[in-house]
Amino acid sequence: MAKITFLNPEFFWLFLLIPLAIVWLVLKKNEQSATLKISSIKGFKSSQSFWVKLKPYLSVLRIVALSSLIVALARPRTVDISNKTKTTKGIDIVMAVDVSGSMLAKDLKPNRMEALKRVAADFVEERPNDRIGLVVYASEAYTKTPVTSDKAIVEEAIGSIKYDNVLQDGTGIGMGLATAVNRLKDSKAKSKVIILLTDGVNNAGFIEPETAADIAKQYGIKVYTIGIGTNGMAEFPYAIAPNGQFLFQMMKVEIDERLMKNIAQKTDGKYFRATSNDKLAEIYGEINKLETTEIEELKFYDYDEKYRAFVWLAGFLVLVEIGLRNTVYRSFI
């Protein structure tokens, strides 16, 4: 049930007059009541009828009626508020994710790829008013999900990311970035953003990352770059055992941070380094704050006035009092 509010609550100050009205009614009653002094009332019948007992309460009806009118003047009402939001400046976002074998490294828990999937899914949840797409790349790249407003499809695509042999192993940063640019170049959105994530050095593909960055800048696309991996050594997969399990060994983490910084700087973006699960989550949280979507919120107020019931009550009580005073209690006046 909607909460009752009062349009004119200042009228409640009139309740301070109620004690004065009570005093005035008592004094008036005493002035109008005739008295007869006799030595004894033993000869009179002591039981009183219902109407005789009711007469002192006629003044109560007037007080209640006055109180009801004060509440009516305060204009009690309930309000039902409905909201409607309209995106005035939407953002189209493409996440370009490295799915090379090195993403199985265990410096993030349980590994880089699984850590990324969790954080990326949360990021999508927090962008309800934007369109999001997904590009995966290794030595080559392809669009896993085109830019869409259907967050369920995007989240399902993120959840299905895994290392397989669909793409030849390697790290083609230029291929991933160029594919993401291709998904956004014809976008009519006010803002176009690519989140490019890698954990290595560009060593594959036929498109240079700098060239892809120039194309992104030409189309007004901002690129946020993320280097994922701890500083120093990490457990990397280096072979597959006969049972199909990956074999790991400690190897040095190498990320071309200079390249990633140049791509971000050239496109007015920003470079981040994710060395842990918490740091990765913080990075996506910061990007979420940097890229805000302007929303126009419309509120519709439906008021239901409640003062009429109090007016009717006051009128009814006044009529009852007047009726009783001029009929049943006419002989007493």
Side-chain angles (χ1 to χ4, degrees):
M1 180 178 177
K3 185 179 179 180
I4 294 180
T5 60
F6 295 90
L7 180 62
N8 303 312
E10 60 274 10
F11 280 102
F12 283 125
W13 287 104
L14 293 177
F15 275 112
L16 296 176
L17 300 177
I18 295 298
L20 297 177
I22 294 174
V23 172
W24 180 78
L25 288 174
V26 170
L27 293 176
K28 185 177 179 182
K29 174 179 176 297
N30 291 336
E31 292 176 357
Q32 292 180 345
S33 298
T35 57
L36 176 65
K37 294 182 179 180
I38 58 177
S39 59
S40 175
I41 58 172
K42 291 182 179 180
F44 296 92
K45 201 172 183 180
S46 62
S47 61
Q48 295 181 334
S49 68
F50 167 78
W51 297 108
V52 174
K53 293 179 180 180
L54 181 62
K55 184 177 183 297
Y57 295 99
L58 289 182
S59 297
V60 176
L61 296 179
R62 190 175 300 182
I63 295 298
V64 174
L66 180 60
S67 300
S68 185
L69 282 176
I70 293 174
V71 174
L73 288 172
R75 290 286 295 277
R77 59 184 183 175
T78 59
V79 57
D80 180 26
I81 304 176
S82 58
N83 296 333
K84 182 179 180 181
T85 59
K86 177 184 178 183
T87 304
T88 57
K89 286 190 178 181
I91 299 175
D92 279 359
I93 302 171
V94 171
M95 293 187 288
V97 178
D98 187 346
V99 293
S100 59
S102 58
M103 284 292 289
L104 299 176
K106 296 183 177 180
D107 47 352
L108 274 70
K109 303 302 179 184
N111 58 50
R112 296 173 180 175
M113 189 172 294
E114 291 301 318
L116 168 66
K117 287 163 62 175
R118 296 173 185 173
V119 173
D122 292 339
F123 177 79
V124 172
E125 282 284 343
E126 295 177 4
R127 310 294 302 190
N129 303 296
D130 301 317
R131 300 197 308 164
I132 299 177
L134 181 64
V135 167
V136 295
Y137 70 94
S139 62
E140 301 171 310
Y142 71 90
T143 302
K144 195 169 181 67
T145 303
V147 176
T148 177
S149 58
D150 191 335
K151 300 305 184 294
I153 293 177
V154 180
E155 290 174 7
E156 183 179 353
I158 292 172
S160 66
I161 294 176
K162 62 181 180 179
Y163 173 76
D164 52 32
N165 293 322
V166 174
L167 298 176
Q168 184 180 352
D169 202 9
T171 303
I173 296 175
M175 299 294 292
L177 180 55
T179 303
V181 170
N182 191 49
R183 303 312 310 182
L184 288 175
K185 64 183 180 64
D186 296 324
S187 170
K188 303 300 183 183
K190 297 291 185 181
S191 182
K192 295 172 283 190
V193 173
I194 292 174
I195 302 175
L196 177 68
L197 182 140
T198 187
D199 67 344
V201 177
N202 184 67
N203 56 19
F206 55 85
I207 299 178
E208 291 297 323
E210 292 85 354
T211 302
D214 289 335
I215 298 173
K217 181 179 181 181
Q218 180 182 350
Y219 284 104
I221 300 172
K222 186 185 298 184
V223 182
Y224 290 102
T225 56
I226 302 174
I228 183 170
T230 189
N231 295 313
M233 307 290 286
E235 288 186 78
F236 279 86
Y238 70 93
I240 300 178
N243 62 1
Q245 298 294 320
F246 286 98
L247 299 177
F248 292 85
Q249 67 179 10
M250 295 300 293
M251 297 175 61
K252 183 176 177 57
V253 176
E254 294 184 7
I255 298 175
D256 193 344
E257 291 193 289
R258 181 178 179 182
L259 171 63
M260 301 297 277
K261 290 177 180 178
N262 288 340
I263 292 173
Q265 184 178 8
K266 185 177 292 187
T267 59
D268 296 326
K270 191 174 181 180
Y271 169 71
F272 302 91
R273 178 68 183 271
T275 56
S276 65
N277 293 56
D278 291 339
K279 186 63 178 177
L280 182 62
E282 289 176 9
I283 290 169
Y284 272 88
E286 185 171 346
I287 295 174
N288 188 38
K289 293 177 182 178
L290 289 171
E291 293 298 328
T292 57
T293 303
E294 294 186 15
I295 303 297
E296 179 183 0
E297 182 177 21
L298 303 176
K299 286 190 176 183
F300 300 92
Y301 295 84
D302 182 18
Y303 292 102
D304 184 11
E305 299 286 351
K306 301 295 184 182
Y307 71 90
R308 297 179 183 86
F310 292 95
V311 173
W312 282 107
L313 175 62
F316 172 75
L317 294 176
V318 169
L319 289 176
V320 169
E321 183 194 5
I322 293 175
L324 290 175
R325 288 190 183 280
N326 288 277
T327 56
V328 176
Y329 300 112
R330 184 178 181 84
S331 58
F332 289 88
I333 300 176

